[in-house]
Amino acid sequence: MTTPALLPLSGRRIPPLNLGPPSFPHHRATLRLSEKFILLLILSAFITLCFGAFFFLPDSSKHKRFDLGLEDVLIPHVDAGKGAKNPGVFLIHGPDEHRHREEEERLRNKIRADHEKALEEAKEKLRKSREEIHAEIQTEKSKVAQSMKIKETRVLPPVPVPQRIGVSGGDPEDTEIRKKREKIKEMMKHAWDNYRTYGWGHNELRPIARKGHSTNIFGSSQMGATIVDALDTLYIMGLHDEFMDGKKWIEDNLDFSVNSEVSVFEVNIRFIGGLLAAYYLSGEEIFKTKAVQLAEKLLPAFNTPTGIPWAMVNLKSGVGRNWGWASAGSSILAEFGTLHMEFVHLSYLTGDLTYYKKVMHIRKLLQKMDRPNGLYPNYLNPRTGRWGQYHTSVGGLGDSFYEYLLKAWLMSDKTDHEARRMYDDAVEAIEKHLIKKSRGGLVFIGEWKNGHLERKMGHLACFAGGMFALGADGSRKDKAGHYLELGAEIARTCHESYDRTALKLGPESFKFDGAVEAVAVRQAEKYYILRPEVIETYWYLWRFTHDPRYRQWGWEAALAIEKYCRVSGGFSGVKDVYSLTPTHDDVQQSFFLAETLKYLYLLFSADDLLPLDHWVFNTEAHPLPVLRLANTTLSGNPAVR
């Protein structure tokens, strides 16, 4: 990330607060033509094609051509003098020359007949009135629309749904912990109720202005991002009336056939991930149906020379493009590398391997590429298949790519050994080149830029503490204890970034230069937009160690959010965590309900709520079940396939 005012912090999510990239509208000239003129254009093109085919038919007097339909046999000519094959010369054994001439004459006659037929059809069209032509066009449009509708409402094949284990409950035995969990639930209800009142159907909420809000990652349409993102949190908290309100809105209003350009990454992790999680938790078919409908709208983004998807795609036209600020038109590692979990589940639920093949193609391509120092650069050009500038980060632009390598392995019931191997290789390179210790003893993850380590860590990178803990079991060389300790060190560093502010909330990024440690220096890095990554790491460390410090740190963060981010109309981010009189940014992010409050709720719940041996959380904290299918073709284990 260079300039937060211009770049979206891709990876785990792209923040609004006017920090994302500006919208670049596609200015397409719109030319209105009469139906007759359009028909004439089509007719002229057809006539040109017919005459061109007639004119360029090969002449049998100059050379012979082979036709598989005539059972000709091609034999490469061998130059006896050189004793080597000359690939440019062929001898043809088969029908005689007379037969060739007859066949070519037959083809010419067919073209003439087709040409005359086309002329007659065109004349017939032009004799019709404008109203008749318009009616025919409408009929054809209706046929196309009907065929699309049939495709969207197709019945999905029955598949065994993984057992719904630990989807509710989790009541803690300790009374004080139970009270804290109830407080988190009340915060969720405050956020949801105000969105329900002031922003219903909009993507997000402006809690101070009390109106809807959206950013360019969702396009120009009201797609109810907060509704879809919050569904599973509502469900596990037992807020079933609110859950059913969300379900009804989705049934009645969620439409993906809109002329809207969206972020493939963000829509995948928030919408597809959210809908799939809601389906697996509740068993309501509408969520699965909507997830598949949306996934089909994202597939055109993969129509690039390399198969690396565009960052943005128009849901109606299928036209894709990349962010204008990305290195030389590149796609972003964390964006095209954070599709695997959702796409594998899509293939599992539909029986259509297209989704699985798309993400596996990306994996295979990345495996073949050279990686400087074993590190994956954040930018890859989808046209050339070459890296952009050499910038590697475990924070924005890179983060969730590594997360999904590990989680692909976990989600496959630890049979996707290829994903685990790629994760282990990447973590070893990260530890060697990016992880350092400050003078004050704080372990941090820097960013590699063109051969130079920048001693700065982003809030987004704080998720890595949880990732290292989650991946400790199964690590190479019996280093489980090492990676669990590394996760704890990252958690401590990120807690310090919170504790060293006036509000006890962490800045967007913080430096380790000289006497400055875990503190933001630039004004543009001092904001907090309700991010979940630090609390996410607290939760994972709590699950694996049950060290009470993680609950204590999580409660400190919850109290700070309640004190400084809560407003009468919901929750808002703040622009300066070092000021005791902070200014609000007036945005209630959808991920606040999907992640921050969910991880806090889980932190104060018993371990039997969404146990980690049955559920794997996507990068938007949407739980997806482990697929325990030894015979599935979706496994990355060649022995299984």
Side-chain angles (χ1 to χ4, degrees), residues 453-467:
L453 181 70
E454 188 173 5
R455 298 173 67 85
K456 179 179 76 172
M457 184 171 175
H459 192 291
L460 288 164
C462 285
F463 94 98
M467 179 180 73

Side-chain angles (χ1 to χ4, degrees), residues 158-307:
V159 295
V161 179
Q163 194 173 355
R164 298 168 61 242
I165 295 176
V167 301
S168 60
D171 297 321
E173 295 181 1
D174 186 281
T175 303
E176 288 302 311
I177 298 300
R178 193 179 303 120
K179 288 180 180 177
K180 290 175 179 177
R181 189 171 88 141
E182 282 302 309
K183 177 57 184 176
I184 303 304
K185 183 175 178 178
E186 185 277 328
M187 293 169 69
M188 177 68 181
K189 192 154 175 30
H190 178 69
W192 174 265
D193 286 348
N194 278 282
Y195 169 78
R196 181 73 173 84
T197 302
Y198 303 114
W200 193 241
H202 289 269
N203 289 314
E204 292 173 320
L205 171 69
R206 287 194 177 277
I208 297 174
R210 298 191 177 189
K211 63 180 183 180
H213 169 74
S214 191
T215 61
N216 59 347
I217 61 175
F218 301 122
S220 57
S221 298
Q222 294 184 23
M223 295 174 62
T226 294
I227 298 173
V228 179
D229 231 1
L231 280 172
D232 53 1
T233 306
L234 294 170
Y235 191 90
I236 68 171
M237 287 185 178
L239 296 170
H240 294 301
D241 289 342
E242 292 81 355
F243 177 85
M244 294 307 292
D245 281 347
K247 178 196 168 193
K248 187 174 189 318
W249 186 91
I250 287 171
E251 284 179 316
D252 297 342
N253 301 285
L254 188 54
D255 179 19
F256 304 121
S257 300
V258 290
N259 185 18
S260 190
E261 188 182 51
V262 301
S263 163
V264 174
F265 161 75
E266 296 286 356
V267 165
N268 176 63
I269 65 171
R270 301 196 201 203
F271 282 80
I272 293 180
L275 290 166
L276 290 176
Y279 165 69
Y280 282 119
L281 291 172
S282 70
E284 297 284 355
E285 290 286 326
I286 183 63
F287 301 129
K288 177 174 68 173
T289 301
K290 290 289 185 181
V292 174
Q293 288 175 6
L294 177 55
E296 289 182 353
K297 298 290 187 179
L298 297 186
L299 287 179
F302 292 82
N303 294 336
T304 66
T306 60

Side-chain angles (χ1 to χ4, degrees), residues 28-53:
R28 298 186 179 90
T30 303
L31 198 58
R32 297 190 177 276
L33 301 174
S34 71
E35 287 87 346
K36 284 190 177 182
F37 188 44
I38 292 173
L39 287 170
L40 286 172
L41 285 176
I42 296 171
L43 175 61
S44 63
F46 185 77
I47 292 172
T48 303
L49 178 63
C50 290
F51 275 114

Side-chain angles (χ1 to χ4, degrees), residues 146-168:
Q146 183 64 23
S147 65
M148 292 177 66
K149 187 175 181 180
I150 291 172
K151 186 177 182 181
E152 286 185 351
T153 57
R154 76 181 192 273
V155 177
L156 297 175
V159 295
V161 179
Q163 194 173 355
R164 298 168 61 242
I165 295 176
V167 301
S168 60

Side-chain angles (χ1 to χ4, degrees), residues 15-33:
L17 181 59
N18 297 323
L19 298 169
S23 297
F24 297 104
H26 285 177
H27 300 290
R28 298 186 179 90
T30 303
L31 198 58
R32 297 190 177 276
L33 301 174

